[in-house]
Amino acid sequence: MMNLIDEGGKRLDGRSFDQLRPFSMQAGLLKSASGSAYIEQGGNKILVGVYGPRDSRSRYGTNQDKAVLRCRYHMLPFSTEERKSPQPSRREIEISKVIRDALEPALLLEEFPRSVIDIYIEVLQSDGGSRGASITAASIALADAGIPMKDLVSAVAVGKVNGHLVLDLSDTEDKEGEVDLPIAVMLNSGLITLMQMDGKLSEDEFRQAIDLAMAGAKELREAQRKALVQKYFKEVDS
Amino acid sequence: MMNLIDEGGKRLDGRSFDQLRPFSMQAGLLKSASGSAYIEQGGNKILVGVYGPRDSRSRYGTNQDKAVLRCRYHMLPFSTEERKSPQPSRREIEISKVIRDALEPALLLEEFPRSVIDIYIEVLQSDGGSRGASITAASIALADAGIPMKDLVSAVAVGKVNGHLVLDLSDTEDKEGEVDLPIAVMLNSGLITLMQMDGKLSEDEFRQAIDLAMAGAKELREAQRKALVQKYFKEVDS
Amino acid sequence: MMNLIDEGGKRLDGRSFDQLRPFSMQAGLLKSASGSAYIEQGGNKILVGVYGPRDSRSRYGTNQDKAVLRCRYHMLPFSTEERKSPQPSRREIEISKVIRDALEPALLLEEFPRSVIDIYIEVLQSDGGSRGASITAASIALADAGIPMKDLVSAVAVGKVNGHLVLDLSDTEDKEGEVDLPIAVMLNSGLITLMQMDGKLSEDEFRQAIDLAMAGAKELREAQRKALVQKYFKEVDS
Amino acid sequence: MKGLVLDNLRRDQLTDAISKGRRLDGRGMSEYRKLEIRPGIIPKAEGSARVKLGDTEVMAGVKIEHGKPFPDTPDQGVLIINAEVLPLASEYAEPGPPDEDAIELARVVDRGIRESKMVDVNKLVIVPGKEVYLMYVDISVISTGGNLFDASSYAVVAALMNTKFKILKQEENGSVIPTGETSELPIVDLPVSITAVKIKKGIILDPDVEEESINDGRLTVAYDQEGNLCAIQKGQASGLKVEEIMEMVKMGKEKVPEIREMIRGALEKNG
Amino acid sequence: MKGLVLDNLRRDQLTDAISKGRRLDGRGMSEYRKLEIRPGIIPKAEGSARVKLGDTEVMAGVKIEHGKPFPDTPDQGVLIINAEVLPLASEYAEPGPPDEDAIELARVVDRGIRESKMVDVNKLVIVPGKEVYLMYVDISVISTGGNLFDASSYAVVAALMNTKFKILKQEENGSVIPTGETSELPIVDLPVSITAVKIKKGIILDPDVEEESINDGRLTVAYDQEGNLCAIQKGQASGLKVEEIMEMVKMGKEKVPEIREMIRGALEKNG
Amino acid sequence: MKGLVLDNLRRDQLTDAISKGRRLDGRGMSEYRKLEIRPGIIPKAEGSARVKLGDTEVMAGVKIEHGKPFPDTPDQGVLIINAEVLPLASEYAEPGPPDEDAIELARVVDRGIRESKMVDVNKLVIVPGKEVYLMYVDISVISTGGNLFDASSYAVVAALMNTKFKILKQEENGSVIPTGETSELPIVDLPVSITAVKIKKGIILDPDVEEESINDGRLTVAYDQEGNLCAIQKGQASGLKVEEIMEMVKMGKEKVPEIREMIRGALEKNG
């Protein structure tokens, strides 16, 4: 097992167990999209564009009662250690689905029957926790697009590393550690909209891990809010 | 040349030249399908589901005068000696077509204009003669779906093995023998609806081979009828 | 550098710098196409069929104001030194596009709104300059189809070989030479509708190269006209 | 995903019953439908099993081949799990390559097996770094009657436990040939997948197709032999409260021994 | 397959004539349309031929490469036949990968060649088990005027007979290089494909596109040099009686020598 | 290509201005929009750059791998350029494999780089004929605001100049491993792509998305360091007169030094 925690209880990058990686978020940088956001979190660099609500072009995906939400999580070929082939991988297809399911509960899709909302997530550079950062950013982009929402969705992974529960796994901690547990949550209602886990946890550890994630999500949510406010004032000022 | 016939005139699996492999057939085991059937014949294990007549979803395939018959012959990845790749092979595409052509003459498709009937053939385990067994089973499934038919279609292969004409080739006889000649027939009218051949036969041998196939088909047809009756009484009883 | 010009100023195949390869053209040899043409130029053997104007089948490609022009440049698997895989290569896709753009300016597409014209180019055997020969032939096929045109489009490549500008590159000259510069032109108006270049030319050389191409195009245009006349008289005679 | 849409009456009946702690088919909240596991039904495959769980029916087959290991795990055998929903499995199924639902199914089952460390992949090496065993596991869904995740997981677990394969060795000239002996897979755990759904405020295990169509949140958890959680997948576009999740985990954990015994029993009966 | 639909008048004229033992274009029941075979028209290909049969036109090209043999036939060269109907071949054709008709066409032609043992694949080995010749034969349909099976088969047979390829050898370091010599393929038979269709009660050979559109059953038979049947494909969603099949086989067998002579003649004129 | 369609009023304003030698955004006929080049923004990639040209935004990334050379250039490294227009780049973009526009984009950028001989591929060999460096260059279009060809070309040029990669060697046993040292690419030229369009009778450089939508002919020319033209692509279904082409070439040539300095400057600031 690789040594990921030093004697002073610090992680490889100097963080404490409950500390997030450095992050920054911006809203509204794409001109042609209805809404957009950019996030950096650790080595992740992720751009999200939202288009819609717009008329559904294909009859296949139309719903008479609400907008259809579509989501594509996509890694650029140069975003990974080894060049990623441009065809969508099974991993990307699954992540696209769980991200869509994590975001939909926050949206009032009933207000836009027969239309479609597209979320395009482009991972420019990937690091551990890219699905969480994608959700956090997509949430900003949806708000930026003016789509009515019950709450923002904030997401982060908790993991187990050398036996310790730690917040916001880096790539190395994800690969060399024991557990990866990404969680997305709407903090107002406390509803968890994404949860996946790889690796072994006891029931007690699992319960603690959720609490750790909640604390991290709270911090991220504050930054999401700030990014939206900043965008708003920029628009008012200009 | 591999020795496929012993001194006593018996085949590797102990059969005489004109003997079918052990077989069993069942009708109506899939709950959601309009009709279904399961056949085992030698090592073949084949499941057939029929859906329809139902509204044609695509305009492309619609016919104003009769139902469109579609057929997919598909081998499960673990049905063969070497794992079969999930993409449809050219062999599967050709067999799907000849099976469809073998079954259509038995159906009164004119009664269902603008609709489509789907035949899904799943080879769970493959052995020699899987296309014949597929036709025999699909025929039961179509009858089970209540689609009006002129006759059942019964199918079996004849082959030439170490110079002898034999009925119902096993996998080894197919691969090591000289000729494979699958035939499908509607016995009431004597109309042959499928015939393919690989390997060399004289005109006389060919004529004899057809007679051998006819005898085999008769036996299979009796079993098809029984499977349908059994299903009927099960329904009446329950 | 390979020696492509001999001491007497002749090219490998005995041509002078400004000489076209032997060529022949025929109009109207496909029975079912609206128009067709066949060209041989050097080792190129190219068949073109035009279908249309006909009703657009897909709504996607329909234009309310004019006919949609579609073009496929396709090499047969045995047309090249190494067998060409049947899937369309990126090169074929790009060439299809530039050929379409080279032909469209000559056509009065406004006369056929909501319809589609298909140009199918089949390279039976390829040699240097196949895109030029394709345009020259497609132009004949479009005229043969009776589609109203402002002018024929005539095309040929100029190149630089051992430091000399030469007309109508052969395969070897294309591969071993320094520059390939295919040009398509409507000679009546002097409008250049296709121009691509690989390799280095000074501004002056570039200007001279265009003149050389123009001279070659003139010769080809005369042959295009003859092929159409010949077809016309054949029809009148028969 | 296209699928069943219940009418309002039926929906209300179902939710009413569940709110009173009952289910319309008479099952208890934690009760599974009838589970039948038949291992070894495809003799041509190195391992196989057919699982019926109520109206749901799934087959899994294992084919063992050999080839290069993944670069980052040069000393481990390779496990590859695929899933397809056969077009005869329901009126909504269609032929074609796996869609996102089939891909998710394969990946969730895969994680349960992989993270439990059920198969000791370190023992599936022929020549370290060069030649290892490749385990291709294919899931074929024959009937979609609800709770595909659990049924598929049981089928794969049973098929792996049922697997017998030819031991291979590499010759001096590089070619890989059978030694003539066969072996079972090195099985070191027996993970059990349990799926719970919330319907209004009630939580039930093993949803059937109707229950699944109206669920307000799904959680699939795989448990290893020591009672650890080893893989989780939340499903459905909906939210779950922490207490609900913990309740689901608890109900699942209590259910595991019963299911594990059924899988073991089926294998022993067969073996 | 989308294609020609005849109007009723024309249909009746055709069937009436055939019921009286005549065909509208004046041909006898067993008579083929004008057959032109031009081998060697694609010098870049190792072998090639263009065949016109009435309005039907087909090209076949042979490319010879080298590579590994199939595992189950380590000491044989490899024959791979593909077919595509070019989109300019008819108003119903469309660009795209081969559909089921093109796939059937390739496979039926393939079986006639392969089962007749026309090419002695045992002689197409460079290093047994390691390197063999790969024969890629591609059929390109230029005009669909009826009876594609026979026209394509003749084109492939002529292209194979016309093939000249570079003899290869393997060097000590493993690379495969030309010896500098060329060779023809080891041709040991000359199979002939004959297609018959039933229209009402009449049987005719070599149907044109109109006859094909109203046929009540098609049978394509390949015959080897000794008069054996070596490959059969029944086509069309319809049934044939045993007597009808035997009649078709007989008419075909009688026709074979004439066609075989035409193919041979075309090759000799060219060679 | 689906895209912007201007209304007649706007179209007339644009063409009127250009006929008077002006542009609506105040630019001169040869003037480029604001150009920002940020190299090295994807540290995980061996090389990268992000380019903004007005509203157009493009990223390029370089990944260096190793593998076999192409058979016809056994002693050269391999350059492979791909492009995709991300679906977030405009309301007309859609997810999926590259369409003809993206393929053309990649190939035109490729020719400019390749024909200028910017990278000395003869130096990118590990073992001649066996192992060479493979340069995968991927263009990702983030915003389509006109003149994608130039913006993409600058991004690729900057990314290649920014590239640092691990030097590899082949061990005796055949495996390829890093030596521990890194290197820049052997850059020997700095090609500059200039795109001109004709609108009515006016010629302008660097069209924005509106200008592009009404252009009557486009010409993209890449120039090497010595002022030679090294790649050309005419675009648009329209014709250009020889004089117009020569005018475009001249305007381009005059513009080149300014752009080249900007690229160099961006790299130096970063390096």
Side-chain angles (χ1 to χ4, degrees), chain B residues 139-181:
Chain B
S139 202
I140 301 173
L142 286 161
D144 181 44
I147 293 164
M149 295 171 81
K150 300 176 197 157
D151 195 358
L152 292 168
V153 184
S154 313
V156 70
V158 179
K160 188 173 173 184
V161 162
N162 294 174
H164 300 279
L165 293 175
V166 301
L167 184 64
D168 194 19
L169 294 180
S170 71
D171 223 359
T172 312
E173 290 172 335
D174 182 3
K175 276 177 196 141
E176 304 293 332
E178 297 103 83
V179 174
D180 180 27
L181 169 58

Side-chain angles (χ1 to χ4, degrees), chain F residues 73-269:
Chain F
T73 52
D75 296 344
Q76 298 186 353
V78 170
L79 173 69
I80 295 164
I81 300 188
N82 281 294
E84 59 181 338
V85 177
L86 301 179
L88 52 65
S90 94
E91 57 177 309
Y92 310 105
E94 282 183 5
D99 63 5
E100 60 171 29
D101 292 308
I103 288 169
E104 187 193 18
L105 173 60
R107 286 176 60 84
V108 170
V109 171
D110 182 305
R111 285 200 287 265
I113 308 293
R114 190 180 301 275
E115 297 299 333
S116 74
K117 310 205 187 307
M118 173 182 179
V119 181
D120 184 354
V121 286
N122 299 301
K123 296 205 173 135
L124 292 172
V125 177
I126 302 166
V127 181
K130 304 253 172 177
E131 285 286 343
V132 300
Y133 292 97
L134 314 178
M135 293 173 278
Y136 284 96
V137 184
D138 284 281
I139 299 166
S140 295
V141 176
I142 288 175
S143 179
T144 58
N147 198 6
L148 280 183
F149 284 167
D150 289 354
S152 299
S153 176
Y154 306 159
V156 171
V157 167
L160 287 169
M161 294 177 72
N162 165 257
T163 297
K164 274 224 175 71
F165 67 99
K166 290 180 188 159
I167 300 178
L168 304 174
K169 63 177 176 188
Q170 192 170 38
E171 299 239 278
E172 304 231 333
N173 69 6
S175 62
V176 174
I177 59 160
T179 63
E181 285 169 80
T182 61
S183 169
E184 298 186 352
L185 287 174
I187 303 288
V188 293
D189 203 315
L190 200 169
V192 173
S193 167
I194 302 285
T195 293
V197 299
K198 174 171 83 153
I199 292 178
K200 298 283 173 194
K201 295 181 180 239
I203 290 174
I204 55 175
L205 301 187
D206 182 33
D208 65 22
V209 72
E210 288 190 334
E211 290 164 343
E212 219 166 47
S213 76
I214 58 166
N215 90 73
D216 300 307
R218 188 184 68 214
L219 197 78
T220 299
V221 181
Y223 301 83
D224 70 9
Q225 285 188 157
E226 284 151 28
N228 291 310
L229 292 64
C230 58
I232 297 179
Q233 182 87 340
K234 181 198 153 290
Q236 209 69 11
S238 57
L240 292 171
K241 301 208 165 156
V242 177
E243 314 87 79
E244 291 166 342
I245 290 174
M246 294 314 295
E247 169 77 7
M248 287 170 158
V249 165
K250 220 177 132 210
M251 283 169 75
K253 201 170 163 180
E254 284 165 8
K255 195 70 190 175
V256 164
E258 177 188 332
I259 303 286
R260 185 172 284 127
E261 269 328 291
M262 292 192 65
I263 298 176
R264 256 203 200 107
L267 266 302
E268 277 162 16
K269 210 173 80 184

Side-chain angles (χ1 to χ4, degrees), chain E:
Chain E
M1 188 190 192
K2 287 189 293 180
L4 182 68
V5 178
L6 285 194
D7 63 38
N8 287 337
L9 177 62
R10 181 74 181 166
R11 168 189 285 264
D12 290 346
Q13 290 174 330
L14 276 164
T15 52
D16 277 5
I18 285 168
S19 74
K20 292 168 190 150
R22 296 188 296 109
R23 294 165 88 168
L24 288 190
D25 60 3
R27 281 193 284 159
M29 304 299 261
S30 280
E31 193 176 341
Y32 268 63
R33 292 165 294 169
K34 190 178 171 200
L35 174 62
E36 291 175 71
I37 301 173
R38 290 183 50 199
I41 50 152
I42 304 294
K44 265 204 185 176
E46 277 82 350
S48 62
R50 181 165 174 174
V51 163
K52 285 195 192 186
L53 180 59
D55 287 336
T56 295
E57 188 170 350
V58 169
M59 289 182 68
V62 179
K63 298 295 292 182
I64 308 281
E65 305 188 350
H66 66 94
K68 285 200 187 311
F70 287 125
D72 50 341
T73 53
D75 297 343
Q76 298 186 353
V78 170
L79 173 69
I80 295 165
I81 300 187
N82 281 294
E84 58 181 339
V85 176
L86 301 179
L88 52 64
S90 95
E91 59 176 308
Y92 309 105
E94 283 183 4
D99 64 5
E100 61 171 28
D101 293 308
I103 288 170
E104 187 193 19
L105 173 59
R107 287 176 59 84
V108 169
V109 170
D110 182 304
R111 284 200 287 265
I113 308 291
R114 190 180 302 276
E115 297 299 333
S116 74
K117 311 206 187 306
M118 174 184 178
V119 182
D120 185 354
V121 286
N122 298 303
K123 296 205 173 133
L124 293 172
V125 177
I126 302 166
V127 181
K130 304 253 171 177
E131 286 285 343
V132 300
Y133 292 97
L134 314 178
M135 293 173 278
Y136 285 97
V137 184
D138 284 281
I139 299 165
S140 295
V141 176
I142 289 174
S143 178
T144 58
N147 199 7
L148 280 183
F149 284 167
D150 289 354
S152 300
S153 176
Y154 306 159
V156 171
V157 166
L160 287 169
M161 294 177 72
N162 164 256
T163 297
K164 274 224 173 70
F165 65 100
K166 291 180 187 157
I167 300 178
L168 304 173
K169 63 176 176 189
Q170 191 169 39
E171 299 238 278
E172 302 231 334
N173 71 4
S175 61
V176 173
I177 58 161
T179 62
E181 284 170 81
T182 62
S183 168
E184 298 186 350
L185 287 174
I187 303 288
V188 293
D189 203 315
L190 200 168
V192 173
S193 167
I194 302 286
T195 294
V197 299
K198 174 172 83 154
I199 292 178
K200 299 284 173 193
K201 295 184 178 235
I203 291 174
I204 56 174
L205 302 187
D206 182 34
D208 66 22
V209 72
E210 288 190 334
E211 291 164 343
E212 219 166 48
S213 76
I214 58 166
N215 90 72
D216 300 309
R218 187 185 67 215
L219 198 76
T220 299
V221 181
Y223 301 84
D224 71 7
Q225 285 188 157
E226 283 152 28
N228 292 310
L229 293 64
C230 59
I232 296 179
Q233 183 88 340
K234 181 197 153 292
Q236 209 68 12
S238 58
L240 291 172
K241 300 208 166 159
V242 176
E243 314 86 78
E244 291 166 340
I245 289 174
M246 294 314 296
E247 170 76 7
M248 287 169 158
V249 165
K250 220 178 130 206
M251 284 169 74
K253 200 170 163 180
E254 283 165 8
K255 195 70 190 175
V256 162
E258 177 188 332
I259 303 285
R260 184 172 286 127
E261 270 328 292
M262 294 192 65
I263 299 176
R264 256 205 200 108
L267 267 301
E268 277 161 17
K269 212 172 78 185
N270 185 265

Side-chain angles (χ1 to χ4, degrees), chain D residues 20-259:
Chain D
K20 291 170 189 149
R22 294 188 298 107
R23 293 164 89 168
L24 288 190
D25 61 4
R27 281 193 284 159
M29 303 299 262
S30 280
E31 194 175 339
Y32 268 62
R33 291 164 296 170
K34 192 181 169 199
L35 174 61
E36 290 176 72
I37 301 173
R38 290 183 50 199
I41 50 152
I42 304 295
K44 266 204 184 176
E46 277 83 347
S48 62
R50 181 167 175 173
V51 163
K52 286 195 191 186
L53 179 58
D55 287 336
T56 295
E57 189 170 349
V58 170
M59 290 182 66
V62 180
K63 298 296 292 182
I64 308 280
E65 305 188 350
H66 67 94
K68 285 198 187 310
F70 286 125
D72 51 340
T73 53
D75 297 342
Q76 298 187 351
V78 169
L79 173 70
I80 295 165
I81 300 187
N82 281 295
E84 60 181 339
V85 177
L86 301 178
L88 53 63
S90 94
E91 57 176 310
Y92 309 106
E94 283 183 4
D99 63 5
E100 62 171 28
D101 294 307
I103 288 170
E104 186 192 20
L105 174 59
R107 286 175 60 83
V108 170
V109 171
D110 182 306
R111 284 200 287 265
I113 307 292
R114 190 180 301 276
E115 298 298 333
S116 74
K117 311 204 186 308
M118 174 184 177
V119 182
D120 185 354
V121 286
N122 299 301
K123 296 207 173 132
L124 292 172
V125 177
I126 302 166
V127 181
K130 305 253 171 176
E131 286 285 344
V132 300
Y133 292 96
L134 314 178
M135 293 173 278
Y136 285 96
V137 184
D138 285 279
I139 300 166
S140 296
V141 176
I142 289 173
S143 177
T144 57
N147 199 7
L148 280 184
F149 284 167
D150 289 354
S152 300
S153 176
Y154 306 158
V156 171
V157 166
L160 287 168
M161 293 177 72
N162 165 256
T163 297
K164 275 226 174 67
F165 67 99
K166 291 179 188 159
I167 300 178
L168 304 173
K169 62 175 176 189
Q170 192 171 38
E171 298 239 279
E172 303 232 333
N173 70 4
S175 60
V176 174
I177 58 159
T179 63
E181 284 171 83
T182 61
S183 168
E184 299 186 352
L185 288 174
I187 303 288
V188 294
D189 203 316
L190 199 168
V192 173
S193 167
I194 301 287
T195 294
V197 299
K198 174 172 84 155
I199 292 178
K200 300 283 173 190
K201 298 188 175 227
I203 290 173
I204 55 174
L205 302 187
D206 182 32
D208 66 22
V209 73
E210 288 189 332
E211 291 163 344
E212 218 165 49
S213 76
I214 58 166
N215 91 73
D216 300 308
R218 188 184 68 216
L219 198 77
T220 299
V221 181
Y223 301 84
D224 71 8
Q225 284 188 157
E226 283 151 29
N228 292 310
L229 292 65
C230 58
I232 296 179
Q233 183 87 340
K234 181 198 153 289
Q236 209 68 12
S238 58
L240 291 172
K241 301 207 163 157
V242 177
E243 313 86 79
E244 290 167 340
I245 289 174
M246 294 314 296
E247 170 75 8
M248 287 169 158
V249 166
K250 219 177 132 207
M251 283 170 73
K253 199 170 165 182
E254 283 165 10
K255 195 69 192 177
V256 162
E258 177 188 332
I259 304 285

Side-chain angles (χ1 to χ4, degrees), chain C residues 30-32 45 47-49 51 54 57 72 74 76-81 83 120 122 124-126 171, chain E residues 2 41-45 55 59 61 63 65 82 84 86-91 94-95 136 138 140 142:
Chain C
L30 287 179
K31 200 177 165 180
S32 57
K45 292 169 186 274
L47 182 62
V48 182
Y51 282 82
R54 54 183 173 181
R57 296 176 200 188
R72 189 179 86 140
H74 176 244
L76 298 198
F78 47 78
S79 65
T80 48
E81 211 57 62
R83 176 174 185 268
Y120 297 122
E122 302 294 343
L124 312 181
Q125 182 171 278
S126 74
D171 224 358
Chain E
K2 287 189 293 180
I41 50 152
I42 304 294
K44 265 204 185 176
D55 287 336
M59 289 182 68
K63 298 295 292 182
E65 305 188 350
N82 281 294
E84 58 181 339
L86 301 179
L88 52 64
S90 95
E91 59 176 308
E94 283 183 4
Y136 285 97
D138 284 281
S140 295
I142 289 174

